Amino acid sequence: MAKVVVLGAGVSGHTCASFLKKKLGKNHEVVVVSPNSYYQWIPSNIWVGVGQMTIDDVRFKLHKVYDRWGIDFKQAKAVSIHPEGDASIDKGYVTIEYTDPEYAGQTEIVDYDYLVNATGPKLNFEATEGLGPDKNSMSVCTYSHAAHAWEELQKSIEKMKAGQKQRFLIGTGHAMATCQGAAFEYILNIAHEIATLGLSHMAEITWISNEYELGDFGMGGAFIKRGGYITPTKVFTESLLAEYGIKWIRRAGVYKVEPGVAHYETLDGEMLSQEFDFSMLIPSFSGVGLTAFDREGNDITDQMFLPNKFMKVDADYTPKSFDEWTAADWPTKYQTPMYDNIYAAGIAFAPPHPISKPLKSENGRQIFPTPPRTGMPSGVIGKIIALNIAEQVKGGHKEHHHTASMARMGAACIVSGGFGSFDGLGASMTVFPIVPDWEKYPEWGRDMNYSVGEAGLAGHWLKFILHYLFFHKAKGYPFWWLIPE
């Protein structure tokens, strides 16, 4: 019997665990370790943040699904990895600390034959002074953050109803933050809700971003086919903001947030400030801070992880200039180079370099988005890791028949621009590949037959339907495996 341990139960970890159990069946053990008792569908947090969904609309208890599937679920956080075991244990193991209230604070050693690190990101609010829901800005990164944002947003709405103008600042809260898409959805949804209430004249809404041009989204921007014409995402994005009368600030690295004011530096080296009454700013991400030790107890963390605490995999981490980057730099198997039975999925893996061009301000501050690895890519990566491990276990080999390089993988994204059965808005976009390949596609960097976009009411309905479709999949309802990632 083989034992596979998955650390994390987000999109990537949950997908990986579900396919592992489906393929391996009852003859092998699958263990999931996650500090949260709930699975959450993060893309719909946006709607929680504007009051269109509740917390329970975007989450469900993990143990109910895992008990039905026969997966051993431990509500705990992973602390350290010991790939070689130690003097008393001859196989790899992880140490965990329980967050389950019944066992809170207790530690346990969990051994494994295969380990998948799908721990996701640490929301690195402390990297920006004063940032975060416990300080001076809101967040929609978790369902509880989104619910808190909605509580505060209602206060601003009531003030506008009473005749008091309000200033809204939405975007990135760090010079190297990623996940611009979530913030972009949120600003559009806020603008839509305000417009629906007839309060647009009382609101000043501003987008602030570390992108060089709007529509970069951490993937260097893109060209998409829209209405028969090739359109840059810059135009696509600016048109959506302009439709709602939203102002924008770009090339901005927020470094400090005080009550009612965000301080930022521009690429030109200017130190500027933007006042607000309500602000939602996405933090930077880092790895969760796992440590690693060899059999003798020597710390090998810096060999398995980059300084940003994301795990090294089969990527080319050789330092290169922007002009030397190639599609071949990106990983395909997500296997650690040091140990052939350890993998990293989703946000937990360390990209070889950014996708967007690295830029520095006149004062030396790096201001550009880091690579996105959420949503569809995370699910696909989790799935191919599971399929490879299952085939290795059942076939007794070490081959990888499934690969998923982000430079060979497409992605579909539906940006919610406002919730409503008849007046909702959704911007649907696909790109292929995610990481542009200028050698293969020298004109546009991507295949324009599969890089398309359109906005309208149909996009909203599609995103709304997908919310329930992916919940069906995540809960393991009949034929869940037929629903794509």
Side-chain angles (χ1 to χ4, degrees), residues 51-320:
Q52 292 293 349
M53 283 190 172
T54 68
I55 282 180
D56 287 327
D57 288 330
V58 301
R59 71 177 187 177
F60 61 81
K61 285 281 190 180
L62 285 165
H63 75 83
K64 293 181 180 180
V65 176
Y66 290 156
D67 287 352
R68 176 158 43 88
W69 280 346
I71 291 175
D72 183 7
F73 175 56
K74 299 178 184 293
Q75 187 186 335
K77 65 178 182 180
V79 178
S80 61
I81 304 174
H82 303 256
E84 303 165 13
D86 57 27
S88 59
I89 300 177
D90 288 330
K91 61 190 301 188
Y93 68 86
V94 293
T95 58
I96 65 173
E97 180 181 331
Y98 279 92
T99 56
D100 185 332
E102 187 175 351
Y103 309 104
Q106 295 183 27
T107 60
E108 182 181 339
I109 289 174
V110 182
D111 62 62
Y112 62 82
D113 295 298
Y114 286 88
L115 178 68
V116 181
N117 173 18
T119 47
K122 173 188 175 184
L123 302 176
N124 199 15
F125 290 109
E126 58 266 32
T128 301
E129 184 181 347
L131 184 71
D134 295 329
K135 295 180 181 177
N136 302 314
S137 64
M138 296 296 105
S139 162
V140 291
C141 294
T142 69
Y143 52 72
S144 57
H145 288 175
H148 182 204
W150 169 231
E151 291 174 2
E152 295 302 312
L153 179 59
Q154 290 179 84
K155 295 177 184 177
S156 287
I157 290 173
E158 291 304 314
K159 289 178 181 178
M160 288 190 290
K161 288 180 178 179
Q164 183 178 340
K165 290 192 174 183
Q166 293 287 286
R167 297 158 299 181
F168 300 86
L169 181 67
I170 313 296
T172 53
H174 187 272
M176 295 181 67
T178 187
C179 224
Q180 287 78 11
F184 185 64
E185 285 190 279
Y186 194 54
I187 197 170
L188 294 178
N189 272 265
I190 284 180
H192 178 82
E193 294 298 322
I194 290 172
T196 300
L197 294 169
L199 296 171
S200 297
H201 64 291
M202 300 299 296
E204 180 183 294
I205 309 175
T206 303
W207 169 256
I208 186 167
S209 175
N210 55 0
E211 300 163 290
Y212 187 80
E213 297 288 2
L214 300 192
D216 180 285
F217 295 126
M219 58 180 187
F223 294 93
I224 56 175
K225 190 177 291 185
R226 184 187 186 197
Y229 298 93
I230 304 298
T231 304
T233 48
K234 172 182 181 293
V235 173
F236 192 66
T237 304
E238 288 179 354
S239 65
L240 288 171
L241 293 179
E243 187 172 333
Y244 282 116
I246 298 171
K247 302 175 182 178
W248 56 78
I249 301 168
R250 55 190 179 146
R251 307 170 191 176
V254 174
Y255 62 88
K256 183 178 181 180
V257 183
E258 294 180 305
V261 59
H263 303 280
Y264 65 94
E265 180 181 356
T266 69
L267 279 174
D268 294 331
E270 291 185 277
M271 298 296 186
L272 302 173
S273 299
Q274 180 71 24
E275 295 182 342
F276 62 82
D277 298 295
F278 176 94
S279 179
M280 196 294 293
L281 299 172
I282 298 290
S284 63
F285 292 169
S286 71
V288 297
L290 289 171
T291 53
F293 301 89
D294 66 13
R295 186 174 180 82
E296 284 70 44
N298 299 310
D299 193 324
I300 56 172
T301 305
D302 61 350
Q303 298 176 50
M304 292 192 69
F305 297 85
L306 290 183
N308 60 15
K309 302 177 184 178
F310 293 122
M311 182 175 275
K312 296 178 185 177
V313 290
D314 55 303
D316 184 353
Y317 296 104
T318 307
K320 301 177 183 179

Side-chain angles (χ1 to χ4, degrees), residues 178-180 217-219 330 347 355 369-374 377 406 434:
T178 187
C179 224
Q180 287 78 11
F217 295 126
M219 58 180 187
W330 288 78
I347 297 177
I355 303 173
T370 45
R373 306 183 298 290
T374 54
M406 288 177 60
I434 300 169

Side-chain angles (χ1 to χ4, degrees), residues 404-455:
S405 167
M406 288 177 60
R408 298 285 182 266
M409 181 199 312
C413 178
I414 304 174
V415 175
S416 172
F419 192 103
S421 299
F422 302 104
D423 63 346
L425 176 67
S428 306
M429 184 174 72
T430 62
V431 293
F432 182 88
I434 300 169
V435 177
D437 186 344
W438 294 100
E439 293 180 2
K440 190 172 183 180
Y441 309 106
E443 187 173 7
W444 307 107
R446 295 182 172 95
D447 188 335
M448 299 313 299
N449 292 316
Y450 301 101
S451 298
V452 298
E454 198 56 72

Side-chain angles (χ1 to χ4, degrees), residues 376-428:
M376 185 175 177
S378 284
V380 171
I381 293 167
K383 180 178 179 179
I384 68 106
I385 289 174
L387 295 179
N388 281 325
I389 291 175
E391 290 179 3
Q392 289 179 19
V393 169
K394 296 174 77 172
H397 59 74
K398 289 293 183 179
E399 298 172 7
H400 293 83
H401 299 142
H402 307 273
T403 59
S405 167
M406 288 177 60
R408 298 285 182 266
M409 181 199 312
C413 178
I414 304 174
V415 175
S416 172
F419 192 103
S421 299
F422 302 104
D423 63 346
L425 176 67
S428 306

